[in-house]
Amino acid sequence: MKWKMYLMAVLMVAFVTVSCSDDDDNFSVNDVPVKVMDAFKTKYPNTMAHWEKERGKIKAEFVVNGQEAEAWYETDGTWIGTETNFRGSFPEPVQNYINTNYAGYTVDDADWIETPTMNYFDIDLEMLAKPDVRLLIKEDGTLVR
C-alpha cells in the first residue's frame, strides 16, 4: 500500500514538472532590464505593468484606455510590438470589408496590433457551420494577409 502512495506522489511531481510552461514565473519588476523599463515608460507613461519573461522576450501586461494590453520587448529594450484587446466599432473600411466578404459572420475576438513597421486589426470571425476566419487588416481596409 505504501508503494502505491509513493508511486502516486512521484507521478504527481512528474506531471506538475512537465506541465509547467516556459514562462518565467519568478520574473519580477526588479528583473526588468533598465533599457526595457525606460522604453516602456516612454511609450506608456504612468502605466503599471505585470512583467514576464517568455521565449527569451520580455512582456509587459497592463491596461491602457480601459483595455488589456501586452507589450513585447527584446532584452536590449527594443520594442517588438503591442497587442491591445479591441472593443468598439471598427473603422468604416474594415467594417465594409467584413460586411462584403463575410456577411453573416460575427466577431469572436479582435485585437489592435502595433509593430514598428505596421498597425492592424487581428480579427477572429465565426459563423455556425462554417470554418472560423482570422482576418489581419489595416485601418484602411487593406488586408495584411
Side-chain angles (χ1 to χ4, degrees):
M1 184 70 162
K2 285 184 181 182
W3 68 271
K4 286 182 182 178
M5 293 299 281
Y6 177 75
L7 181 61
M8 251 336 220
V10 169
L11 289 174
M12 289 296 285
V13 168
F15 175 77
V16 169
T17 303
V18 170
S19 67
C20 289
S21 70
D22 63 353
D23 294 354
D24 189 344
D25 294 329
N26 296 323
F27 196 77
S28 74
V29 69
N30 297 328
D31 298 319
V32 177
V34 172
K35 288 183 178 183
V36 172
M37 187 61 76
D38 289 346
F40 179 78
K41 286 182 179 181
T42 298
K43 189 156 185 67
Y44 303 102
N46 304 316
T47 303
M48 300 288 293
H50 169 76
W51 295 91
E52 293 181 5
K53 191 169 187 181
E54 202 171 295
R55 292 173 286 204
K57 311 295 184 207
I58 299 174
K59 176 176 72 169
E61 295 177 340
F62 57 102
V63 175
V64 62
N65 299 324
Q67 303 298 327
E68 293 179 4
E70 296 178 348
W72 293 82
Y73 294 88
E74 297 286 355
T75 54
D76 68 359
T78 303
W79 174 67
I80 299 168
T82 301
E83 176 182 310
T84 305
N85 290 345
F86 183 79
R87 303 288 178 261
S89 300
F90 295 116
E92 189 174 333
V94 173
Q95 191 62 57
N96 288 343
Y97 185 89
I98 293 170
N99 293 344
T100 301
N101 297 285
Y102 297 100
Y105 278 79
T106 58
V107 175
D108 180 46
D109 187 40
D111 295 308
W112 175 243
I113 309 296
E114 299 170 89
T115 71
T117 58
M118 180 185 335
N119 299 333
Y120 58 94
F121 290 99
D122 182 346
I123 305 169
D124 293 326
L125 301 171
E126 64 182 7
M127 182 177 185
L128 192 61
K130 295 263 186 166
D132 290 353
V133 174
R134 182 172 180 206
L135 187 61
L136 304 181
I137 187 169
K138 295 181 185 179
E139 285 180 290
D140 66 1
T142 305
L143 286 180
V144 174
R145 69 168 185 159

